[in-house]
Amino acid sequence: MSPQTTFDVTFDGTVAVITGASGALGSAAVDQFRAAGATVCGVDVVEPDDDSVLEREGDSAFEFHQADLTDEDDVSALVADIVDDHGRIDHLLNVAGTWRGGDPIEETDLSEFDLLMNVNLKTAFLASKHALPHLQESEGSIVSVSARSSLEGGDGDGPYRITKAGIRLLTETIAEENRGRVRANCVMPSVIDTPANREMMPDADHESWVDPAEIADVMAVLCSDATTVTSGGAVPVYGDA
């Protein structure tokens, strides 16, 4: 069932590209933009483990693309295919990402640092780079996913925080370079209420966590005409967490 929104957002006639579409937040964003009338191109490196995304394949408003967003050739081909099929891109949601805890910097393996840089930051950079020429034509929007923890250093998850701080700076840079053409903003979750997070933190206060659909609401508003004067922003979506 499509989510019921409490605000009037209409994306009829637009095309939205949503990365990380197989995950909890990406899937919620897919549902939100479809409900608002967009044609949604969901992207992920692998097909989802369950059928929640693929079940939408019969809906002409949704299509799933498998692509490695850390590979520039894959990203270039993906964007070209979408534009060939639909003639435009209006919204890019950079949701693809991962979380790792870990060790102090002096004990962190380079492979762990590289993984986080590639999955969290490189994917957003490459998707934005190749989508921007088309977003400039449509005067479109980008919304990426940063994190509350990116606002300060922390103990043991430094590489994750660094990559999410990079998302904020990437957002501000795109906004500055595209004034009057493309709006770029990011959202900053704390802990998202997903099955994986509940499994990792079974004793936490789950009631204080934010539902992915609520974050997807904010992402939709940031792409809508309600926020045409907003670009370069980092929007808290902490809830009570």
Side-chain angles (χ1 to χ4, degrees):
M1 179 180 293
S2 298
Q4 298 297 313
T5 62
T6 57
F7 50 86
D8 185 15
V9 172
T10 301
F11 294 134
D12 292 342
T14 69
V15 176
V17 178
I18 301 177
T19 74
S22 298
L25 179 54
S27 182
V30 167
D31 286 339
Q32 181 60 268
F33 277 70
R34 286 174 61 244
T39 295
V40 177
C41 301
V43 185
D44 216 308
V45 66
V46 293
E47 293 184 354
D49 292 334
D50 57 49
D51 294 330
S52 60
V53 171
L54 294 181
E55 283 175 355
R56 307 186 189 99
E57 286 285 12
D59 186 341
S60 60
F62 176 79
E63 58 189 43
F64 181 78
H65 295 260
Q66 188 169 353
D68 179 359
L69 294 171
T70 69
D71 184 309
E72 185 160 21
D73 289 340
D74 258 23
V75 178
S76 177
L78 166 73
V79 170
D81 286 346
I82 290 171
V83 174
D84 283 347
D85 289 344
H86 303 289
R88 60 189 297 134
I89 296 175
D90 299 273
H91 314 293
L92 170 64
L93 277 67
N94 288 313
V95 183
T98 190
W99 180 85
R100 293 288 190 280
D103 302 309
I105 292 298
E106 72 272 18
E107 299 174 15
T108 298
D109 289 340
L110 179 60
S111 60
E112 190 80 358
F113 180 83
D114 284 344
L115 171 70
L116 288 163
M117 288 294 291
N118 285 334
V119 176
N120 290 348
L121 188 53
K122 187 177 182 180
T123 58
F125 166 75
L126 286 176
S128 299
K129 173 184 175 179
H130 287 276
L132 267 167
H134 308 287
L135 292 167
Q136 289 163 353
E137 290 181 5
S138 64
E139 297 186 353
S141 56
I142 298 175
V143 179
S144 302
V145 180
S146 180
R148 179 181 187 173
S149 62
S150 74
L151 296 173
E152 59 185 4
D155 184 7
D157 63 349
Y160 172 79
R161 293 173 185 249
I162 290 165
T163 60
K164 290 301 186 177
I167 290 289
R168 287 191 292 109
L169 289 171
L170 176 65
T171 296
E172 292 170 5
T173 300
I174 293 171
E176 182 67 22
E177 291 177 347
N178 290 273
R179 286 186 180 185
R181 294 188 297 174
V182 177
R183 292 183 295 115
N185 294 286
C186 63
V187 294
M188 295 189 299
S190 179
V191 183
I192 304 175
D193 191 2
T194 66
N197 283 341
R198 285 187 177 235
E199 184 177 345
M200 284 192 294
M201 294 174 275
D203 299 325
D205 179 12
H206 302 150
E207 295 301 316
S208 69
W209 294 357
V210 180
D211 188 278
E214 295 176 303
I215 299 174
D217 283 351
V218 177
M219 299 177 84
V221 171
L222 288 171
C223 288
S224 76
D225 291 342
T227 55
T228 56
V229 296
T230 304
S231 191
V235 179
V237 285
Y238 310 156
D240 297 322

